[in-house]
Amino acid sequence: MAYTKDQLMLAFSYMSYYGITHTGTAQENAELILSKMNQALKEWKPFQDDDWEVVWGPAVYTIPFTIFNDAMMYVAQKKGVEGEYVIAIRGTNPVSISDWLFNDFMVRKMKKWPYASVEGRKMKISKSTSYGLKTLQKLKPKSGIPGEGKTVLQFLNEQIGEEGEAKVCVTGHSKGGALSSTMALWLNDIQGKELSPNIDISTVPFAGPTAGNAAFANYFDDQLGDKCSRIANSLDIVPYAWNTKSLKKLKSLYLFELPPVLPSPFQRALITGMIAETKFKKYKQIKAETPALEGHFNPLLIEYLVQAAYQHVVGYPELMNMKDDIPLADIFEDAIAGLL
């Protein structure tokens, strides 16, 4: 089977979830994740047509005084092919409370997009997206890990040079979906200043919430719209965040399915709270007119959040004809027990 670019990026995105339940040091986690990824690059079907290798990372970050690693990013390259890179960013660690709090739900406050200025546009991103991007910009692989001691920008400059040509695709799922498109825009904005102007930058974000406001989304569309393939599942609750109007749809998202599934009173209250938090912020999806993939409802899952988790995790390989190609149980270990 020949895999499309989008399918290949989904595999790279999901591979970034290795190590989410491990509690060792950043060094130990990086070594463990690298071992898992090297094995995946040899065994997963999507990687069989080309010979890929991890050339930078994985770089792992754990918020101080917490247990689980909250951020991870790596760079892969085709062996024997110069100048073709994939930057993959992990989404939310489902077992890390600190990741949910700091990297997902800080949406009431927004930060100015500092890498470009367009007259008449007040481009802003959520505090969570700003925090997440800054974390990724500072990440450096540990000793013995590919690219050790270098940020991803330093690595790219070293590999590509000031005027070199290359192709760089940034991808990620969930939180990684919002961050991958945001990182791609950052790389695009610094081209010709801190990065070679001859790099073809693209992005394939999956299942991402909004990163910023309408001015930011419109600017992204102007800059990278034709280089972005945003993929969302119509039954996944995450891409409905954080636009106020789309958040309102979550209360009845599964109402007309068989059997109908509704959020509990507590879950409805959470949705109401999210709507209040984002009111007047004008959050907007990048490429907002892109139609979502038509989700497949699972009638066996009659609890709202369980159905939502299924759609968010299992839904994408299922809808992209890759359910047998990505070993979800191996990647997520006990974090999604019962969904598969």
Side-chain angles (χ1 to χ4, degrees):
M1 173 181 174
Y3 292 89
T4 66
K5 178 179 178 179
D6 289 352
Q7 289 174 316
L8 187 60
M9 292 307 119
L10 184 69
F12 279 121
S13 294
Y14 272 55
M15 196 167 69
S16 70
Y17 283 103
Y18 273 124
I20 56 175
T21 62
H22 294 275
T23 57
T25 65
Q27 180 76 45
E28 292 169 339
N29 282 329
E31 291 172 355
L32 172 77
I33 295 167
L34 180 61
S35 174
K36 290 272 192 179
M37 290 198 300
N38 285 338
Q39 184 176 356
L41 290 173
K42 293 178 181 178
E43 297 178 357
W44 288 18
K45 292 180 182 178
F47 304 126
Q48 297 305 301
D49 291 341
D50 297 295
D51 197 7
W52 291 88
E53 63 180 332
V54 177
V55 292
W56 182 92
V60 181
Y61 174 72
T62 302
I63 293 175
F65 309 111
T66 63
I67 299 174
F68 301 107
N69 48 93
D70 302 280
M72 195 277 270
M73 180 170 66
Y74 70 94
V75 179
Q77 181 183 18
K78 280 186 186 179
K79 289 184 180 178
V81 180
E82 292 187 7
E84 186 166 342
Y85 303 92
V86 173
I87 301 175
I89 301 168
R90 182 199 283 164
T92 304
N93 186 333
V95 299
S96 171
I97 299 299
S98 58
D99 198 9
W100 289 93
L101 292 176
F102 292 102
N103 290 313
D104 287 317
F105 292 124
M106 292 194 302
V107 294
R108 187 173 185 176
K109 293 185 178 180
M110 306 185 80
K111 299 285 187 179
K112 179 182 177 182
W113 180 249
Y115 305 106
S117 178
V118 179
E119 187 175 352
R121 291 188 182 181
K122 295 183 179 180
M123 298 179 287
K124 295 181 179 181
I125 57 176
S126 73
K127 189 174 180 180
S128 278
T129 302
S130 176
Y131 175 84
L133 179 61
K134 289 178 180 178
T135 298
L136 296 175
Q137 290 168 335
K138 296 176 183 178
L139 281 181
K140 296 179 181 180
K142 298 296 184 179
S143 175
I145 304 298
E148 65 175 91
K150 301 181 183 71
T151 66
V152 70
L153 180 59
Q154 290 170 338
F155 170 80
L156 292 174
N157 280 324
E158 182 181 87
Q159 296 295 309
I160 300 169
E162 292 183 3
E163 301 290 332
E165 297 182 1
K167 293 181 179 179
V168 175
C169 183
V170 194
T171 191
H173 169 269
S174 189
K175 176 188 74 176
L179 287 174
S180 58
S181 55
T182 305
M183 171 165 276
L185 184 61
W186 165 59
L187 293 174
N188 181 77
D189 280 351
I190 64 173
Q191 281 191 282
K193 294 171 282 189
E194 301 176 61
L195 190 65
S196 169
N198 302 314
I199 299 176
D200 181 7
I201 297 170
S202 62
T203 179
V204 184
F206 299 90
T210 59
N213 64 2
F216 173 83
N218 293 338
Y219 173 70
F220 176 93
D221 291 352
D222 291 343
Q223 296 295 310
L224 287 176
D226 60 345
K227 298 291 184 69
C228 172
S229 177
R230 184 178 74 85
I231 297 174
N233 170 4
S234 65
L235 295 181
D236 177 12
I237 67 174
V238 175
Y240 288 87
W242 297 100
N243 176 271
T244 305
K245 289 184 178 179
S246 61
L247 279 171
K248 293 178 181 178
K249 298 177 182 179
L250 296 185
K251 295 180 180 180
S252 58
L253 188 60
Y254 309 130
L255 176 61
F256 302 104
E257 304 292 345
L258 291 175
V261 173
L262 290 170
S264 68
F266 177 70
Q267 292 162 355
R268 288 179 64 87
L270 287 178
I271 295 171
T272 299
M274 290 189 290
I275 293 170
E277 285 285 292
T278 57
K279 196 173 183 180
F280 306 124
K281 303 302 180 186
K282 298 182 180 179
Y283 279 105
K284 181 184 176 182
Q285 278 285 8
I286 58 170
K287 300 198 72 176
E289 303 305 316
T290 302
L293 302 177
E294 193 64 35
H296 297 163
F297 182 76
N298 189 328
L300 299 178
L301 305 177
I302 59 174
E303 202 286 322
Y304 183 87
L305 284 184
V306 176
Q307 180 72 228
Y310 180 91
Q311 297 297 337
H312 187 58
V313 178
V314 184
Y316 291 86
E318 182 181 75
L319 294 176
M320 297 183 68
N321 300 314
M322 296 184 72
K323 193 171 181 180
D324 296 328
D325 300 333
I326 298 177
L328 296 176
D330 180 49
I331 300 167
F332 291 95
E333 300 173 336
D334 297 329
I336 58 170
L339 291 181
L340 306 176

